[in-house]
Amino acid sequence: MIRVLVVDDEALVRTGFTHILNVSPDIRAVAAVPGGQAVQTVRELRPDVVLLDIRMPDVDGLSILAEVRRMPEPPVVAMLTTFDTDEYVVAALRSGAAGFLLKDTDPEQLPHLVRTLIEGGTVLSSQVTRTVVNGFLSGGLRESRAVNLVARLTERERAVLALLAEGLSNTEIGDRLHLSTGTVKGHVSCVLEKVQADNRVQAALVAERAGLLKPSAETALR
């Protein structure tokens, strides 16, 4: 059972996400709380995934993200936003967010996206992808730098990075490359270290800047 915590200042959003998630037999929304209760609830319930509003009136979503990420064995955190040009998106990426979802994401897709998160995949709503890519890459990652980072990888690691950048989970990468999930996890750890990325989203953007992705691949960052 994938245990999910929903954090949002709007009761309607909390209720809606809870109902959508609880329809799936393998997912349970263990709580839905406003921002002020988020950190304590994470400590008490130890959810697997946190869906966290990036902007809330009572507390900054980025501050919650930072505090949660400092916890031992922290949950996977994906940010919720209503803005496809939200300047907070890039800051959240740099702070370790595992994904970004617009609040109007297709309800039928939400359970799948949660499963992708828990399996180590990259989750970006298509509307957010361009904002993330532009904002992160304009922060100083030059093409030459990305190429040099990718050059450190073995051929197998480059293949893993390319599939990771398409948003595939470890299981899906293993199926594609005929590797065990454990072996893929080992390759992903090496890739993150070699390309100096804190998380899979950052690694995916290094791959994009280094030219590992096909022109249409950015839309696959789901």
Side-chain angles (χ1 to χ4, degrees):
M1 183 69 67
I2 303 172
R3 304 172 73 251
V4 181
L5 170 64
V6 179
V7 180
D8 196 283
D9 62 309
E10 298 181 19
L12 184 60
V13 172
R14 297 197 302 268
T15 300
F17 271 61
T18 297
H19 287 324
I20 293 169
L21 293 171
N22 285 342
V23 168
S24 298
D26 60 331
I27 299 175
R28 185 64 58 232
V30 294
V33 300
Q37 301 175 28
V39 174
Q40 185 60 34
T41 304
V42 171
R43 289 197 179 105
E44 292 177 353
L45 299 183
R46 306 300 300 175
D48 303 304
V49 175
V50 177
L51 302 181
L52 173 62
D53 190 1
I54 204 167
R55 291 192 185 210
M56 292 175 285
D58 56 340
V59 62
D60 180 11
L62 295 179
S63 298
I64 295 174
L65 171 63
E67 194 162 353
V68 168
R69 291 292 299 167
R70 287 194 295 267
M71 294 180 182
E73 300 182 1
V76 178
V77 182
M79 309 304 291
L80 301 174
T81 177
T82 56
F83 308 98
D84 60 354
T85 57
D86 197 322
E87 68 271 18
Y88 282 15
V89 165
V90 175
L93 167 64
R94 296 183 185 279
S95 297
F100 306 88
L101 299 173
L102 291 179
K103 292 183 183 180
D104 61 357
T105 295
D106 185 346
E108 293 184 359
Q109 286 296 312
L110 185 59
H112 169 69
L113 296 175
V114 167
R115 295 185 192 102
T116 298
L117 283 168
I118 203 64
E119 292 175 3
T122 301
V123 171
L124 295 179
S125 290
S126 59
Q127 298 95 319
V128 179
T129 301
R130 192 69 258 165
T131 299
V132 174
V133 171
N134 285 340
F136 184 78
L137 296 181
S138 65
L141 181 64
R142 298 180 178 178
E143 181 178 337
S144 58
R145 172 64 173 164
V147 169
N148 288 336
L149 289 173
V150 170
R152 301 176 178 181
L153 305 178
T154 65
E155 182 177 353
R156 175 67 76 187
E157 289 168 347
R158 283 196 296 273
V160 169
L161 175 58
L163 294 176
L164 178 158
E166 291 181 19
L168 272 63
S169 68
N170 290 343
T171 300
E172 292 169 330
I173 293 173
D175 290 342
R176 191 77 65 86
L177 298 179
H178 307 292
L179 300 172
S180 70
T181 302
T183 299
V184 173
K185 287 181 178 178
H187 283 314
V188 170
S189 295
C190 289
V191 167
L192 295 182
E193 180 178 357
K194 289 182 179 181
V195 303
Q196 300 177 3
D198 294 328
N199 54 51
R200 297 169 73 103
V201 180
Q202 291 184 10
L205 297 177
V206 171
E208 196 273 350
R209 176 48 62 96
L212 285 188
L213 302 185
K214 298 177 181 178
S216 60
E218 69 178 40
T219 58
L221 288 170
R222 54 185 188 274

